[in-house]
Structures are given as structure tokens and as C-alpha cells.
Amino acid sequence: MSHLRLAVLLGMTVALGPFALDTYLPAFPRIAAALGAGHAQIGLTLSIYVIVLGLGQLIGGPLSDRYGRRNVLFAGIALFGFASVMVSLAESVEALLAWRGVQGLGGAWCAVSVPAIVRDRVRGTDAARLFALIGLVMFVAPALAPSIGSLVLTFAGWRAIFVFLAAYAALVAVLLYMGLFRHAPEPERSRTPVITLVTNYARVLRHAAAMRFIALQALVFSTMMVFITHASFIYQEWFGLSKTVFSALFAANVAGMAATNLLNRRLLLSFSAPVLLRAAITVQAAAVITLAAVSWLDPPAALVAGLIIVSVSCMGMIAPNNIASTLEYFPTLGGTASAALGATQYAFAGAVSALSTALADGTLVPIALTMAACGGTALILALPAPGIARRGVLVEAET
């Protein structure tokens, strides 16, 4: 299968996450009114989804190493689709939170399978370039998600947004089966003792270089997640922008990620993934630290939006390089390593997102300071990353 075709299929699969995160953002006020809940309670539906999306990968990753990518991936899609339907039927905030958690579990099993499928096929710079191509394909999802949500909200109400998510999951399942799994046999599955599902995690967690990249991913993703959690408040309530402008600004973030992603694919022909990773994190940290500094001064919407766009755009270069750098050390533990990466990323980001909600005081200051804390810490870890990456060693699965 060509890299482009594989990237399209896997990009559509990874896009389940951004769709579940972003499509219902414009509906927050409607959902709150319909269920008699506050903005903070509805914001928790985002945090719960992200936390479970992370923790669920701890289960799905080792299972995919042992029982095959296809089985775990399709089980995740089925769970995601069913939970999406149940969210659309929720009559209380408690039910909404519970089914969003189940939806996150299904999304986790999908998310953890994709990097492992890539690692089964390519490595090194080729892996980074394929991850970049997958990222480019999946950027369509967050670009379209708020607009799709606004459109559905206008004509069919907020519940139909989750029906759309269920239908999209079904479409992805059909395309994956027809395009990837129907004729292509999976790599041989592990038949080692079940206890290795646990001990292999220890092999990943003891790898110092990999853990640095895993920590980096958690921090930079948290920077973006804090913005996503408060995007509706920042643009629609604080600055009083319309849903149309909100969707356009959201799309600008995604366009920026796509641009840096394309630039990254070209630069990978001349530079290593860890070097490009450090450069992108440096720019992101500068943007969020500046945002924190100006947030005390009642800044104009254009300045805030510009700094956020720069920060989020860097993810187009950070994510593919960081994932490839992490998985490079684990030729037979792609699922487990991917799970450790994803679980840490989403669980940490979900916790930081929830903390930022608790700290919110109706101003931009606590939001910007939280983003700056994550971005600044990531920069400290990123500075020596290229040298540390060169000294890393490969780790095989325990037999």
C-alpha cells in the first residue's frame, strides 16, 4: 500500500479524536441550557473524554501487540460509535459524563492502534514523514469540526452532533476493512505469557530517552488542550465573537498546523526529527510565554488569536517528530510504547485542562499562565533532546 493511501486511512481513523473533541464546542451553551448545567460542568465532558482517551490506551496498546491491531481497532470503533449514540440520548449531565467516558475508551483503542500500525511498517525518518502525512490528512477534522457542529446545531440540535460522530465511526470502519485489512495480513502476533503485558510496560518506562519524549508530548499537548477547553469562552464570551468568527479562528489554527506539517516533511530530508522537534517547541514556548505576559494588559482579540495560532501551529511539527522519536526504540513493542505515549499525553492534558477550569476566574490570565507553564517546562526538556536521542538503545519485547 502506498504511503498516501495508508496515510488517508489512518488519518481518518485518528480524526475520530479531534471530531469528538471539537465538533460539539459551539454547542456548549445549548447543552448547558438543555441539561440545566453550568459552563464548568459541560467543560468537564471534554476533560473526562481526554482523561479516559489517555488511560484507555494503557489497555488497548498491549492488547494490540498481543492480539493484533485489527481486533483492537475495530473493537474501539464499535465502542466509540455506540457511546456516541448514547451521548445523544443523555438526559442529565451525569449521563453525559459517563457516556463521554465510554466514548473516550473507544477512541483510545483507535488512537493507540494507528502509531503501532505505522511502526510495524516503517521506522526512522520514513516513520516521521509518514506520521507527518497522517497528520496532514487528519488536520481536516479539527478544521471542519466546529463548522460541522455549528451547521448541525442550526438545523438539528446538539444531540445530532453525536449521531454524526457515530455515523463517521461507521464509515471509518468500512473504509478500514475494505482498504487496509481485507487483503493485507497482519504482522505475526505475540503469544508470550500474559504477564508480559505488564512487564513490557516496565521496559518502556525504564527507557530514559523515550520517557523524555513522552513527557514532552504530555506537556505540549496540554498547552493546546487548555486552549481547546477554553476556546469557546475566550472567543465567544470574553471577546464576544460570533460562531462564524470562532469557527474561522479555529480553522486558522488547523491551517497553521497543516503548514508547519508540510514544512516539516521537507525539512526532514535535511534534519533529524529530534532537532526539528526542539526548534518547534522553542517557538511554541515563546508564543505562550508572550501570551501570558500580555494577558495582564487587556490585549486585543487579534493579538491573543495570533499568539494562540502560532502556538497551536507548532503542533504540526512537534507531534510527528515526537511520536517517531519515541517509537524508534521499540521495534516489537509499538503498541505498548504508543499506549504509554498516548496515555500520558491525554491523561496529563485532561488533568491540566480540569485544573485550568478550576482556576478560571473569568479572565485570560489563569488560562495563559497554565499554557505558559506547560510550554516553558517542555522547552527545558527539549533543549538536550537531540543529543539524548542519539544515545538511546533499542528495546525488544520480553519473551
Side-chain angles (χ1 to χ4, degrees):
M1 179 179 294
S2 70
H3 277 194
L4 178 59
R5 183 179 177 187
L6 182 63
V8 170
L9 289 173
L10 297 183
M12 291 184 66
T13 305
V14 178
L16 283 168
F19 269 133
L21 284 172
D22 302 334
T23 308
Y24 81 128
L25 291 180
F28 269 28
R30 295 275 190 93
I31 298 174
L35 300 182
H39 176 84
Q41 287 179 295
I42 303 304
L44 281 178
T45 66
L46 197 66
S47 300
I48 288 293
Y49 175 83
V50 172
I51 291 171
V52 179
L53 187 63
L55 296 179
Q57 294 187 44
L58 293 175
I59 302 171
L63 290 178
S64 74
D65 282 341
R66 182 176 180 83
Y67 300 111
R69 315 300 183 205
R70 171 168 45 198
N71 294 335
V72 172
L73 180 55
F74 280 107
I77 292 174
L79 197 58
F80 179 94
F82 175 73
S84 297
V85 173
M86 296 308 296
V87 170
S88 74
L89 301 175
E91 296 293 342
S92 67
V93 174
E94 293 75 18
L96 187 65
L97 287 169
W99 286 113
R100 279 289 281 176
V102 177
Q103 189 183 39
L105 180 62
W109 289 19
C110 297
V112 78
S113 299
V114 170
I117 289 172
V118 173
R119 184 61 184 85
D120 289 340
R121 288 161 171 78
V122 292
R123 58 170 297 178
T125 299
D126 287 338
R129 285 175 58 80
L130 182 53
F131 279 124
L133 191 57
I134 291 171
L136 185 61
V137 173
M138 68 162 286
F139 287 156
V140 175
L144 295 178
S147 297
I148 292 174
S150 296
L151 183 64
V152 174
L153 191 63
T154 300
F155 293 100
W158 70 267
R159 297 180 186 276
I161 293 174
F162 294 95
V163 175
F164 161 78
L165 292 176
Y168 179 78
L171 173 64
V172 168
V174 171
L175 293 178
L176 281 173
Y177 175 75
M178 298 297 294
L180 183 59
F181 292 116
R182 184 170 61 164
H183 299 300
E186 291 189 277
E188 184 179 352
R189 293 177 291 179
S190 172
R191 295 302 183 185
T192 55
V194 175
I195 189 62
T196 60
L197 296 180
V198 177
T199 57
N200 281 333
Y201 266 121
R203 300 173 74 83
V204 174
L205 297 178
R206 287 197 301 264
H207 198 290
M211 288 306 299
R212 178 176 291 266
F213 290 117
I214 288 173
L216 279 172
Q217 188 69 17
L219 288 164
V220 297
F221 187 73
S222 296
T223 301
M224 184 176 69
M225 191 63 211
V226 170
F227 158 67
I228 292 175
T229 301
H230 298 280
S232 180
F233 161 74
I234 293 173
Y235 290 139
Q236 293 184 274
E237 295 185 27
W238 181 260
F239 288 115
L241 304 179
S242 67
K243 287 189 296 185
T244 301
V245 176
F246 169 68
S247 298
L249 288 174
F250 218 90
N253 290 312
V254 181
M257 285 193 290
T260 58
N261 186 284
L262 287 171
L263 175 63
N264 184 62
R265 279 180 54 80
R266 182 173 294 276
L267 291 176
L268 279 167
L269 298 175
S270 304
F271 301 96
S272 69
V275 169
L276 295 176
L277 173 66
R278 180 175 60 185
I281 289 178
T282 300
V283 175
Q284 184 186 68
V288 293
I289 291 172
T290 302
L291 177 64
V294 302
S295 66
W296 298 86
L297 307 174
D298 193 22
L303 177 59
V304 171
L307 290 170
I308 289 175
I309 289 171
V310 171
S311 170
V312 175
S313 295
C314 290
M315 292 299 295
M317 184 175 289
I318 293 172
N321 292 323
N322 201 58
I323 295 171
S325 297
T326 305
L327 299 187
E328 178 70 12
Y329 306 113
F330 307 104
T332 57
L333 283 174
T336 301
S338 176
L341 178 69
T344 305
Q345 166 183 289
Y346 286 109
F348 186 83
V352 171
S353 170
L355 176 63
S356 71
T357 299
L359 295 176
D361 61 0
T363 71
L364 297 176
V365 173
I367 300 171
L369 286 176
T370 304
M371 294 174 68
C374 292
T377 306
L379 178 60
I380 294 172
L381 291 177
L383 291 176
I388 291 174
R390 288 192 296 270
R391 297 191 295 270
V393 296
L394 296 182
V395 175
E396 298 286 348
E398 185 173 340
T399 59

